[in-house]
Each structure stands twice: as structure tokens, then as C-alpha cells.
Amino acid sequence: MLLRVNMKEGKITDEQLNNELQRIGGRALTSHVVSQEVNPNCDPLSGENKIIFAVGPFAGTNLTCSGRLSIGAKSPLTGGIKESNAGGTTGHKIARLGYRGIIVEEKPEKGLYNLVIDKDGARLEDAEECRGMNNYELSEKLLQKYPGSALITIGSAGEKELSTACIANLDMDDNPSRMNGRGGLGAVMGTKGLKAIIVNDEGCEREKLTEEYKNWVKELNKVVKEAPTTPTYRDYGTPAMVDVTNALGGLPTYNFSRGKFSEADKINGEYLRDIIEKRGGDGSPSHPCMPGCIIRCSNIYPDEKGETIVAPLEYETIGLLGSNLGIGDLDKIAHLNYICNDVGVDTIEVGAAIGVMMDEDVCEFGDYEKAKELLQEIDKGSLIGRIIGSGALTTGQVFGSKRIPTVKGQSFAAYDPRSIKGLGVTYATSPMGADHTAGNTVRANVDHKDPEPQIDLSKKSQLLSTAIDALGICLFTVGGLGANQKSLVEALNARLGGEKSEEYLRELGEKILLLEKEFNNKAGYSEGADRLPHYMYEEVNPDSNVSFDVDSKKLDEFFDK
């Protein structure tokens, strides 16, 4: 079923999924609803926009890493279609209540509300007492009233409708730290007058699964557990990527002016693990972000007393709030991460925005105290806080920068596209903007500086990543499931019925990408939208000795069949 919530009328209805929608979820469902129900030319912060929360068809079952939550809308950051997904406890609970997705539309004339969903149905409750609260205080307050619930929340940035605002979900320890981070979707949730969604599946009757499906789950869980990438993710988490990108000259450093950081050995996965194990206490180098996760790539990062600073500390944050700002201290990066989580802003986007400011000599690279102060200004709602909270492109334009690392208004993730050119193609061509999860190529066995194989490499990665997002599964399972796509489709057939072939995932990915591309075209994207910023073609990265030189004509033809 779908749950539809009209914030203007206060009306909540259940809708049956039609035949077309029964087999899809996640990104496929969010993009379908946006493309069918949202005017491409609408103001993203108007009542015409809709925000969709969707889970995949495997959610609520024991298939590992299958409880991702996709959130979609027209983005206030990119002006195009957007999907952002996250782990946490929310996805499985939504599914166990019988829902594939939640559509929130219109906006109230006044007021702030919480949406409560449980076995007795769904209802809107007044949330004025929560106004102005940030995510950690808000979650603690809501869990006292709704114990055992999963929460979807926004901080003050979402209430202020800032285009870097993200949406928080609880992790397994009830920390609001699993972020639907990219695209400013927290601002869309804020403009709907929605402070939190409380999801409680207590007392729900568990779905009876077929023996065939259970057997496929056992097989696929074994495949993921034995995948060659799983031990690295488990032992070092995403921060293991610091050494990989630094070696390639692709670690964002000093506003993407370099690709290697002199203090990389102080912020990498091995160093992070050593600190966590040495400090003990609350710390843990391996931690699941959702029920049933086998990979356990998350972490809990403690201070010297063993008390949690933030959980988790991820590679993207280390790259954008660390090396990109010239900060080589994990404690400092962790504290910046906590502020972002609490206020509810994307660490990637605000890290890129502050990097642009440092590049323009507004403050110095490496100045942790100034970076901390700037992030706190977002919560205060000051002029400089609102500028940074509007993202890297706006920040760069205000300060007259010629080096703004964005595509379609969204900042690069923590990979320099000149050194990892397949990802540069993904940044340029993805309907999502510069998003590493849209089709990451960094682990491919190719010469990343050679422009020739990158179009095909990116296309293959984007098709698979899009399909995996549609199934509501974590992308880190691809190390095992990517080579077992036939088994994954057979599990889907056992789950939903039907006889889809191995080609289904490629076809699904292609269908979604074309749908998203069409929406963006209608929203006014020009022919030149699928490009990196101009300076990336002219400026050589001194640590890889290359600029971005993939043929622009091939970028324009990316979606041609």
C-alpha cells in the first residue's frame, strides 16, 4: 500500500499499489511519483512539490541490508528530480506496517506537525513544542513519548528550508545519524510543516514468507558475507577509501585544488580503527546501521574518555570536512560531523561550501575553529549561515569564486573527477547531480586517468546502482550481489511472483534513468547541463597530472540508446 498525506487538508488515505507499482520501490517509486505527480516547473518549496518516502520490495524481511529508505522530491538544490537514500531502522518498520511508500503533499496554512504511523493507522499530531529543536534533542524527546519507534526528523536547517538540509533516521542505538543527505530534501520536508515521522510496528502481525524466498535469502546473505569487499568494509568501514583515493590523486584537498593530502595517514581507516580500539568505551570500529546488516561498515567514534562524539564518521565527511578544508585531525572532523547531524545539513555540501570560502581567503585552510563557527551560524540563521546553508554553488557565487565544484547545483562528493574519470562521467550525466552513489567507478580495475573506457564504465555502474536503489538494498552489497544478479532476480520473483529474467535489473535501471532525465529536461535543464565545471577541463590536478578530458559529445550522447 501507499500512505498519502495531504498537509493542507489534514487528510490521510491508504491507496493500493497498482500493477505497475507492485514490483518496484525505493528510487523507482520515488522517481515514478515525482515524474507523474509533480509539475517539473514548480517551485521546489511550494505546495506543488511532493516528498515521497519509499522502501524496497525486500524491506521487512531478513535479506541483509534491504531496509534502505529512499526519499524523493524535486530538489531545491538542483532544481531537478532527486532521490537520496539512507540506512537506519525506519525502512523495515514502514514495510512491516504494510506500506511501500508515503506520499506527503501540499503544505499547511500554519503549524508544525508530527506524522505518527502504527498498527492503529496514521495521524497528524501538533508539534509546536518541537519547533526549533535539532535532531539529537528532538529524537530523545520523541522516544520518551513513542518508545521503540523509528524516527524520520529534520533539524533547524529543514525548518529554515535551507537547500543543504538533510533528513535524519535513527540507527540501531537510537542516534539520529543515518542521513538522507543530498539534494536539500530536508527543506522540502520542512516546507510541508512536517517535523518528524514516527513509525512503530509494535503489535503488527509478521508477514508469512514462502520457503522458496527464505532459501533465496539464505543464499544471498551467504554471498554478501563471503564477498571479497565485506571484510574491508567490516574492519575499516568507508574511511578505508582515504588511502585508495589519496593514492590515485583523487582525495579532495584544499577545495579540490589537489588530490593528495599530506596528513592522509592521520585520517584514514586504519588510523581511525586504531583510535577507536585504543579509546574503548562507547567506541566500536564495526557497527550495523540497520537490522540484519552483515557488512557492518559503520562505526562509533569516541573521544579520549571513550564517550561518543559521533556515529558514524564516514569517508565522505572525512573528505569534505577534513582534507578538503585542510583539517587532518579525526577528533575535529568528528565534532564538525556532529554539528551537521544535529542541525541537519549535508556534510558533503556544507564541506564543499566552506572549502570554496577558504579558497577565496575568507578564512584559512586548516582553521578548524572558523569551520566550526561557520557551521554554528547555520543553526543561528545568520546571513553567513544562510549562505553556507544554501550550498556550494550559492556560496561560490556570493564570494565570486571561479572554482566551484558542483554539477547541476550539487557539490562533488569526495572524489576528484579528473583523477577518477569514470566518476566524473557519473557526476556529469547523472540526473541526480554530482552524486557518488549514482554510479561509483573507483573500485573498477581500469586506468582511471584514461578517458576512453569511462563512458561505458559509468553507464554500467549507473544502471546497476539505480536498480539496487530501486530494490532498497545497500550499494555495498554489490561486491557480492553484482556477480549474482540472476540469483537476486530469482529472489525477487520468489518474493513477488513473476518470471523476470537476469536482464530485469539493467532494464529497470535504464527505465528509471530515462524517466529522471525526462523530468529534468522538462524542468528546464539545458543541453550543457551534463558537464563538469569549466575549470575541471582546464586546470590540471597536480597530484595526478591530468585534467578532465572525456569527450563532451559522448557525455551529450550518454542517454542515447
Side-chain angles (χ1 to χ4, degrees):
M1 286 192 300
L2 292 175
L3 183 71
R4 188 178 294 269
V5 182
N6 187 303
M7 297 300 296
K8 184 177 182 179
E9 300 175 0
K11 183 179 178 183
I12 301 175
T13 55
D14 285 346
E15 299 178 4
Q16 291 296 326
L17 289 164
N18 62 34
N19 291 335
E20 182 182 3
L21 299 180
Q22 284 179 354
R23 297 191 64 84
I24 66 172
R27 179 173 168 180
L29 183 55
T30 64
S31 290
H32 175 88
V33 174
V34 172
S35 68
Q36 293 296 311
E37 299 189 17
V38 175
N39 177 359
N41 295 306
C42 77
D43 177 348
L45 300 179
S46 72
E48 284 190 83
N49 200 5
K50 301 186 182 187
I51 186 166
I52 303 94
F53 305 80
V55 301
F58 296 118
T61 76
N62 292 328
L63 179 62
T64 190
C65 307
S66 63
R68 302 285 291 185
L69 176 69
S70 287
I71 304 180
K74 180 178 179 182
S75 167
L77 187 71
T78 70
I81 200 166
K82 189 63 189 172
E83 181 266 359
S84 177
N85 70 66
T89 58
T90 317
H92 282 306
K93 289 183 183 292
I94 289 174
R96 286 169 182 158
L97 285 164
Y99 294 109
R100 186 69 58 81
I102 304 164
I103 302 172
V104 181
E105 58 192 14
E106 297 291 351
K107 56 193 299 186
E109 292 183 6
K110 61 180 180 178
L112 190 66
Y113 300 89
N114 292 329
L115 173 64
V116 182
I117 311 170
D118 56 27
K119 64 180 179 61
D120 298 320
R123 60 192 181 275
L124 288 168
E125 295 184 351
D126 185 89
E128 281 300 326
E129 64 179 2
C130 299
R131 188 178 291 277
M133 284 188 180
N134 284 326
N135 285 314
Y136 288 97
E137 179 188 9
L138 176 64
S139 296
E140 185 176 348
K141 180 181 180 66
L142 291 177
L143 287 173
Q144 289 175 356
K145 185 175 181 180
Y146 307 98
S149 297
L151 303 177
I152 304 171
T153 62
I154 57 171
S156 62
E159 285 188 46
K160 292 180 177 70
E161 301 177 7
L162 298 176
S163 53
T164 61
C166 60
I167 297 174
N169 299 268
L170 297 184
D171 68 7
M172 295 284 287
D173 297 322
D174 290 337
N175 290 309
S177 58
R178 309 312 310 189
M179 299 294 178
N180 297 88
R182 311 233 62 195
L185 300 185
V188 182
M189 184 168 164
T191 201
K192 299 300 178 191
L194 195 58
K195 183 66 175 176
I197 301 176
I198 297 103
V199 185
N200 193 316
D201 64 340
E202 206 171 296
C204 288
E205 186 176 341
R206 290 292 186 260
E207 179 185 0
K208 293 180 180 179
L209 304 170
T210 66
E211 289 302 314
E212 181 186 9
Y213 177 67
K214 290 179 182 177
N215 289 335
W216 279 115
V217 167
K218 289 178 183 177
E219 178 173 325
L220 292 175
N221 286 353
K222 182 180 179 183
V223 165
V224 172
K225 185 176 182 179
E226 295 177 353
T229 54
T230 295
T232 300
Y233 283 131
R234 182 185 61 240
D235 293 343
Y236 301 105
T238 60
M241 194 57 64
V242 170
D243 286 339
V244 175
T245 53
N246 197 59
L248 292 170
L251 181 66
T253 304
Y254 306 132
N255 188 34
F256 289 88
S257 64
R258 303 195 67 94
K260 289 188 177 182
F261 186 45
S262 61
E263 297 178 89
D265 61 342
K266 296 180 182 178
I267 59 173
N268 65 12
E270 185 175 353
Y271 194 77
L272 180 143
R273 183 182 179 87
D274 288 346
I275 287 179
I276 292 174
E277 291 181 334
K278 179 181 178 181
R279 292 178 175 177
D282 297 338
S284 176
S286 181
H287 184 260
C289 80
M290 70 175 74
C293 174
I294 289 172
I295 298 175
R296 298 175 61 94
C297 73
S298 189
N299 61 64
I300 302 173
Y301 188 83
D303 62 17
E304 292 182 350
K305 296 179 181 179
E307 298 175 357
T308 302
I309 298 176
V310 75
L313 184 55
E314 301 271 23
Y315 167 69
E316 300 300 328
T317 299
I318 290 172
L320 270 298
L321 290 176
S323 56
N324 189 55
L325 305 186
I327 297 173
D329 184 314
L330 287 174
D331 283 4
K332 292 177 179 178
I333 299 168
H335 281 293
L336 297 178
N337 193 167
Y338 177 88
I339 295 170
C340 291
N341 287 358
D342 195 30
V343 177
V345 289
D346 177 17
T347 58
I348 298 174
E349 193 68 42
V350 297
I354 295 173
V356 170
M357 290 178 65
M358 288 180 170
D359 204 11
E360 290 299 311
D361 297 324
V362 178
C363 49
E364 294 184 2
F365 284 109
D367 190 341
Y368 161 71
E369 291 298 334
K370 186 63 177 180
K372 181 179 177 181
E373 177 188 323
L374 290 170
L375 291 178
Q376 291 169 334
E377 291 297 318
I378 298 174
D379 189 28
K380 294 175 183 177
S382 67
L383 176 59
I384 190 65
R386 287 184 175 275
I387 291 170
I388 297 167
S390 297
L393 178 59
T394 295
T395 301
Q397 290 171 336
V398 168
F399 288 98
S401 176
K402 303 299 182 185
R403 303 184 69 260
I404 308 175
T406 61
V407 177
K408 300 180 179 73
Q410 181 168 267
S411 72
F412 297 169
Y415 309 83
D416 190 302
R418 294 166 294 188
S419 305
I420 307 162
K421 293 182 181 178
L423 197 42
V425 173
T426 298
Y427 284 172
T429 59
S430 171
M432 297 292 141
D435 194 331
H436 65 295
T437 66
N440 203 332
T441 65
V442 69
R443 292 190 179 277
N445 186 24
V446 298
D447 178 356
H448 291 284
K449 295 189 290 186
D450 180 2
E452 289 306 313
Q454 309 304 334
I455 293 287
D456 290 340
L457 182 63
S458 173
K459 182 173 289 189
K460 181 179 178 181
S461 183
Q462 286 194 57
L463 289 171
L464 181 58
S465 296
T466 303
I468 292 294
D469 285 344
L471 297 182
I473 301 174
C474 177
L475 285 173
F476 291 168
T477 63
V478 169
L481 299 184
N484 290 270
Q485 294 180 42
K486 184 176 180 181
S487 296
L488 182 57
V489 174
E490 289 296 345
L492 186 65
N493 289 334
R495 173 83 172 122
L496 300 177
E499 298 180 355
K500 297 293 184 182
S501 69
E502 185 175 355
E503 288 297 301
Y504 175 70
L505 295 183
R506 183 191 63 77
E507 293 167 356
L508 177 61
E510 185 175 77
K511 182 178 180 180
I512 298 166
L513 286 169
L514 291 174
L515 191 72
E516 294 167 347
K517 176 73 171 176
E518 181 182 13
F519 182 93
N520 284 351
N521 288 342
K522 290 178 180 178
Y525 277 33
S526 65
E527 275 189 26
D530 291 349
R531 293 285 191 282
L532 298 184
H534 186 69
Y535 73 94
M536 282 282 153
Y537 296 85
E538 295 188 334
E539 183 181 296
V540 170
N541 179 332
D543 294 309
S544 57
N545 200 34
V546 289
S547 60
F548 189 75
D549 56 357
V550 175
D551 188 343
S552 294
K553 184 179 179 182
K554 291 182 179 180
L555 296 178
D556 289 335
E557 297 172 347
F558 187 85
F559 287 94
D560 294 347
K561 290 188 177 181

